[in-house]
Amino acid sequence: MLSHFVDRGSSIEDLEGNRWPDPPKASTTLVRSVHELRRRAIKDLTVEDLRRLITQDVGLRWLLPTALDFLRETAPQEAAGWYDDDLLSAVLTRRESVWRSAPELARHLDGTVRMLTDLSPHMQRDVEYFRTTLSDLL
């Protein structure tokens, strides 16, 4: 498991040692949600919560390994017609610098994607961009 070092009983705030102040009252639902999710223990985050935080580049040090473990564990179910495209897209579309700073995670993601056989055209484009951008790492 990539996330063996992640204390799933802790929140992103605990792990970062950085407490964000409450968001301003006029904040969007997304901003309020991200603030709240940073305070929740990682073990209590849903797949949708992971996607939301990862898409906002919050807690990537802990959440990317957690998400990659989840995606790898569920890859065999893809053959049965189920796969979480939203989480996969969130992970695939992180900035190039994120993957260059953690090449082992990029290679793990590439290996997981190679297990998938029925990706949508949109997802195939994300995969192709990921692979092209990081071809020297993979």
Side-chain angles (χ1 to χ4, degrees), residues 18-37:
N18 181 16
R19 305 257 184 244
W20 286 4
D22 288 337
K25 296 232 186 273
S27 297
T28 65
T29 301
L30 176 62
V31 169
R32 288 190 309 271
S33 174
V34 167
H35 277 252
E36 188 273 322
L37 292 173

Side-chain angles (χ1 to χ4, degrees), residues 95-129:
R95 291 180 323 271
E96 178 182 353
S97 61
V98 169
W99 299 113
R100 292 208 173 273
S101 68
E104 69 286 353
L105 297 182
R107 287 189 288 276
H108 185 83
L109 176 56
D110 184 57
T112 298
V113 170
R114 291 183 188 284
M115 298 168 67
L116 306 176
T117 58
D118 192 26
L119 294 174
S120 70
H122 169 76
M123 196 61 53
Q124 289 173 1
R125 283 190 296 275
D126 285 348
V127 169
E128 184 59 33
Y129 181 78

Side-chain angles (χ1 to χ4, degrees), residues 4-136:
H4 67 278
F5 69 93
V6 177
D7 177 1
R8 292 173 185 252
S10 295
S11 67
I12 297 301
E13 281 195 349
D14 293 336
L15 294 168
E16 288 180 348
N18 181 16
R19 305 257 184 244
W20 286 4
D22 288 337
K25 296 232 186 273
S27 297
T28 65
T29 301
L30 176 62
V31 169
R32 288 190 309 271
S33 174
V34 167
H35 277 252
E36 188 273 322
L37 292 173
R38 286 185 80 252
R39 296 177 180 133
R40 191 178 297 172
I42 291 174
K43 68 180 174 70
D44 296 332
L45 296 174
T46 66
V47 172
E48 175 59 21
D49 297 337
L50 288 173
R51 183 208 56 82
R52 178 166 289 167
L53 289 166
I54 289 169
T55 301
Q56 296 302 310
D57 293 319
V58 173
L60 293 181
R61 178 176 174 194
W62 298 278
L63 297 183
L64 277 180
T66 302
L68 291 175
D69 283 346
F70 173 81
L71 291 169
R72 177 65 63 98
E73 289 168 13
T74 58
Q77 297 171 13
E78 182 266 344
W82 181 91
Y83 201 73
D84 195 310
D85 284 353
D86 292 339
L87 181 60
L88 179 59
S89 180
V91 170
L92 279 168
T93 58
R94 293 310 85 217
R95 291 180 323 271
E96 178 182 353
S97 61
V98 169
W99 299 113
R100 292 208 173 273
S101 68
E104 69 286 353
L105 297 182
R107 287 189 288 276
H108 185 83
L109 176 56
D110 184 57
T112 298
V113 170
R114 291 183 188 284
M115 298 168 67
L116 306 176
T117 58
D118 192 26
L119 294 174
S120 70
H122 169 76
M123 196 61 53
Q124 289 173 1
R125 283 190 296 275
D126 285 348
V127 169
E128 184 59 33
Y129 181 78
F130 171 81
R131 286 187 175 142
T132 300
T133 304
L134 301 169
S135 62
D136 60 314

